[in-house]
Amino acid sequence: METVTLQDYKTSEKSWWCPGCGDFGVLAALQKTLVKLGIPPHRVAIVAGIGCSGKMGNYINSYNIHVVHGRTLPSALGVKLANRDLLVIAAGGDGDGFAIGMNHFVHAVRRNIGVKYIVMDNHIYGLTKGQNSPTSDHGQKVKAAPFGNVESPVRPLSLALTAGATYVAQGFSSNQAQLARLIEGAIAHPGFAFVNVLSPCVTYNKVNTYDFYKQMLHDLDEDPDYQPDSRGGAIAAVLEREELVTGLIYHDPGSVAYEDALPGFAEQPLAGRDITLGQEDFLELLASYR
Amino acid sequence: MPKSLAWMIGGDQGEGIDATGDVFGRVLSRLGYCIYGYRHFSSRIKGGHTNFTVRIAADRVLAPQANVEVLVALTQETIDRNGHLLLSGAPLLADSQLKPVLPDGCEARLVEIPLTQIAREVGAAVVRNMVAVGGSAALFGLPLDAFEAYAREKFERKGETVALQNVEALRRGHAFIEELGLRGRFSLPAPRPRERYLMTGNDSLALGTLAAGCRIMAAYPITPATDIMENLAGLFPRFGGAVCQMEDELAAITLVIGANYAGARAMTATSGPGFSLMQEGIGLASMAEIPAVVVDTQRVGPSTGMPTKNEQSDLLAAVFGGHGEGQRIVIAPGTAVQAFEDGFEAFNLADRYQCPVIVLSDLALAQWLQSVENLPLGGHAIDRGAIVAQEELDRLTGEFERYRLTEDGISPRALPGMPKGQFLATGVEHASSGKVSEAPQNRISQMEKRSRKLDALRARAGAIETSRMDHAEVAIVCFGSIVGAVDEAVELLRQEGVRAGRVQVRQLWPMPDIPLATALGGAAKVLVAEQNATGEMRQLMRIAGLEDDRYRSLVHFDGTLLTPGRVVAAVQELSVKEGV
């Protein structure tokens, strides 16, 4: 194992996040986990979306690609397929993942792509200054919905579970130790690993605050009666508590990643492979058009 | 005019019309003829009229023929719709079961042939079309054994019985026509056998991308681009690659960007509606300077338009689509050989210029069969463009400067996995380090850097191709699949004493204004022919300064492929009105 330090993962960039933003906790937990696992920065690719959370890549000295709004997961799949030796982490917010990018979320789940997906879920649009997000509570009043949110929130954990996710966890940005553990589990998991992080927006969300979560969250990791090995049990548990839980919610030990299921797909990274087509192969292919 | 004959088979969709046309064309190709196989169809699976025409010649033809010599009709609708294409006395082979009737004014010779009955006697109703193929072989005086050999080869895997039924169907059809005394009713010119393949542009383009080292293809099914995905899905597993059928085109383009960023060669293929969805992603590739190859197989738009009909109306969207001002390279093949070349070259351009490359194909090129000669792998070499050397990264004391300002605007990139090469690739405006910057001076220098990358392409060799332009008084400028029709028109015009020539624009953006100005310099008239309503290529030429009082437009946008006759008429009209 190479010696990797926290310094290796820092950049010279000054943070744009508001003081107290939950995303600081997510960044720190991620950096600590990468250091703990001894993964050198050049072996990590982070694919970030648009929004406050999308700035993640600006502050972490790995390979970073900051894509168009909502498309982190297909881009991340592209990175993974090109170089399957990389640790590919997709990071974004609840708007990026569950509104404009919802389509891709469900499909990434059912494909079981070898990408780790960290969502910083603050239940609000922060960067556009406080509109409801798809996870905002029913009734939440904001400038764009002055009479209250008439929509029901997306339930990311239930959604992932019913779509067939093989690793589902939820962390809280204040609980660094648990979050780091959940990210570590995600990295070890073959296939798609979803870590939803409740990451309060201190500027625009006056409902889902640190205090709110400290009161409401139930830690399944500490619950002796909970076993994260049953999809049905996991669905029941998150429904019962309206998703106000933390910990490892579900884990399928038999998970096979998309890139391992693809027929004939190269076991070594495509990037760097000899891609020349041999004359014999070419003529053989041409012959089928006679 | 190349001496050619055309054979058409028509019926309802789902009756194996395409497959039958494919058999007839392929056997003729093996016999040494050049083939152009084109079809008429609609966006449905079963029912509705469809037809497939095989144009047969000794030399290469790449355009539909105005009339047909033989029509095989499996439905009365086929006769009603297409009977007029037959010249007086030409045979119309119709299944007796139809109790076929010729429409008023149709002077074809109706030949009733009991296709269905013979097929039943042979033991399988599905071989009906092969009875018609056998009969057609007799009409053209073609050796039946070539058809039999092909049928055996094609149906071998379905078992001995099926193969024998097909062979018997061919023989019975052949014998029937022979007994009527119609054998050799048409004599084909002597064939010129040589190594030749029968391919669509989608086939050859897919092969070109494979040869270029493309190993990832992401797409969402759409007519007429889907064959590219299907071809590669069959090929890639053998070469370690993968085809990903995505949930939409937004996913397809962004997957391609991710894969190229990480050092693989990846592509997507779509048509108009999907291309519209990809525009935001294409902008990201321009901004973050990530190679990306996008094939847009054009069809009639806007919106769903006419999905199975011809048009070249995505050109301005290819060049200017999307918000902001991003750099793209747009190339357009016109033949299957060019589709192979462009499928290959697109990846070299994308890697060399670190930007999106759009290959503008179109329906006729994409889906219609044509004879292909000279498809050498040898003439093409893979060029991955500027990638920073690991030794250089190892020597760095500070951060890797991904978007360093260089004289030609091209900055070497690092690929994920290379130690000390980490950088941020972002669609946000950035400084040379990759870090986000909104500083006015930086904005100007990065915009100018990205823009000057493409300057050299204005004079790129191969950006245009000319034919018969020596001392030409009328230059016909075109792009895409209509090059075949234009070339044929040029020959027809020359036979009439009009000194016409053709200029095909293969690189539409950056517009190759320098070679074009030279090529068009001596012409008294310049006719810009294109399959859209607003003269999109002419608009681009105008932007590039290629416009004066010699320029005229021929626009064609009824969904059919432009014919040589229409081009000839347009030039003749110019001569009459303006005295060329």
Side-chain angles (χ1 to χ4, degrees), chain B residues 65-112:
Chain B
Q65 186 175 293
N67 62 305
V68 300
E69 273 70 24
V70 177
L71 173 60
V72 176
L74 302 178
T75 58
Q76 180 62 42
E77 189 184 358
T78 304
I79 302 172
D80 298 339
R81 279 174 176 257
N82 305 296
H84 67 279
L85 296 173
L86 290 159
L87 299 179
S88 176
L92 193 163
L93 265 59
D95 193 347
S96 323
Q97 187 181 261
L98 301 174
K99 305 203 177 353
V101 189
L102 288 183
D104 289 345
C106 177
E107 292 175 5
R109 171 173 176 186
L110 183 63
V111 180
E112 291 191 36

Side-chain angles (χ1 to χ4, degrees), chain A residues 189-200:
Chain A
H189 177 74
F192 187 69
F194 172 46
V195 182
N196 198 57
V197 188
L198 302 166
S199 175

Side-chain angles (χ1 to χ4, degrees), chain B residues 181-484:
Chain B
L182 291 173
R183 183 177 150 79
R185 168 80 171 71
F186 295 101
S187 57
L188 286 164
R192 290 192 239 278
R194 64 177 67 159
E195 194 65 15
R196 218 175 260 144
Y197 307 97
L198 201 54
M199 304 175 93
T200 65
N202 278 345
D203 292 334
S204 60
L205 193 142
L207 210 49
T209 62
L210 176 78
C214 177
R215 293 293 181 269
I216 296 173
M217 198 275 183
Y220 185 83
I222 187 167
T223 302
T226 315
D227 316 318
I228 300 173
M229 174 169 77
E230 290 181 339
N231 276 339
L232 293 176
L235 295 175
F236 273 176
R238 180 171 156 187
F239 300 96
V243 168
C244 305
Q245 184 178 321
M246 301 307 288
E247 51 273 24
D248 54 30
E249 288 87 351
L250 307 165
I253 182 67
T254 43
L255 188 154
V256 166
I257 290 168
N260 277 292
Y261 164 75
R265 281 191 154 180
M267 71 174 298
T268 182
T270 187
S271 187
F275 189 60
S276 293
L277 289 182
M278 291 184 184
Q279 291 286 5
E280 191 191 10
I282 292 170
L284 169 64
S286 295
M287 187 61 150
E289 300 195 52
I290 296 169
V293 172
V294 178
V295 178
D296 175 13
T297 311
Q298 299 167 97
R299 64 188 210 189
V300 176
S303 190
T304 309
M306 298 198 281
T308 60
K309 301 287 176 280
N310 290 282
E311 203 164 87
Q312 303 174 312
S313 54
D314 295 352
L315 176 54
L316 293 181
V319 176
F320 300 122
H323 64 281
E325 298 160 305
Q327 288 65 40
R328 296 130 176 239
I329 297 168
V330 182
I331 55 179
T335 67
V337 172
Q338 293 176 352
F340 174 83
E341 293 169 348
D342 286 1
F344 195 110
E345 197 53 30
F347 285 92
N348 283 349
L349 289 169
D351 274 352
R352 212 178 285 144
Y353 296 97
Q354 302 176 1
C355 71
V357 174
I358 292 147
V359 183
L360 265 189
S361 177
D362 54 52
L363 186 135
L365 169 63
Q367 296 208 308
W368 295 357
L369 284 170
Q370 54 181 275
S371 291
V372 167
E373 294 166 11
N374 302 325
L375 201 63
L377 183 59
H380 304 275
I382 290 170
D383 173 8
R384 296 302 313 262
I387 296 173
V388 67
Q390 184 59 54
E391 302 77 61
E392 201 174 316
L393 290 174
D394 291 341
R395 282 198 300 270
L396 282 181
T397 47
E399 290 171 328
F400 169 57
E401 203 182 4
R402 165 65 183 93
Y403 301 99
R404 186 160 58 87
L405 297 175
T406 56
E407 200 175 325
D408 62 5
I410 297 166
S411 343
R413 57 189 184 125
L415 303 179
M418 293 174 79
K420 296 186 74 179
Q422 298 99 287
F423 69 97
L424 171 65
T426 173
V428 182
E429 186 59 275
H430 41 269
S432 58
S433 62
K435 290 194 171 62
V436 169
S437 168
E438 292 182 345
Q441 190 49 48
N442 176 73
R443 166 69 176 172
I444 292 169
S445 51
Q446 284 294 325
M447 279 291 277
E448 286 177 349
K449 161 195 158 32
R450 290 188 292 265
S451 162
R452 72 174 169 266
K453 285 196 296 189
L454 304 190
D455 286 349
L457 285 170
R458 283 173 53 199
R460 183 171 77 97
I464 66 166
E465 273 188 31
T466 61
S467 166
R468 305 284 246 151
M469 281 300 292
D470 287 346
H471 311 292
E473 0 166 49
V474 181
I476 307 168
V477 187
C478 64
F479 75 99
S481 64
I482 65 172
V483 67

Side-chain angles (χ1 to χ4, degrees), chain B residues 133-154:
Chain B
V133 170
S136 303
L139 278 175
F140 287 102
L142 293 164
L144 193 63
D145 52 354
F147 288 86
E148 290 181 14
Y150 185 80
R152 281 200 191 90
E153 185 185 314
K154 186 177 169 74

Side-chain angles (χ1 to χ4, degrees), chain B residues 93 96 111-124 127-139 144-145 147-148 163-180 183:
Chain B
L93 265 59
S96 323
V111 180
E112 291 191 36
I113 171 167
L115 300 175
T116 307
Q117 191 194 321
I118 293 175
R120 288 208 187 103
E121 287 166 15
V122 166
V127 299
R128 178 184 59 173
N129 297 5
M130 289 301 266
V131 179
V133 170
S136 303
L139 278 175
L144 193 63
D145 52 354
F147 288 86
E148 290 181 14
L164 283 175
Q165 284 168 341
N166 277 280
V167 168
E168 185 58 21
L170 286 167
R171 288 182 182 162
R172 292 282 304 271
H174 190 271
F176 189 90
I177 293 297
E178 200 165 28
E179 281 161 25
L180 290 180
R183 183 177 150 79

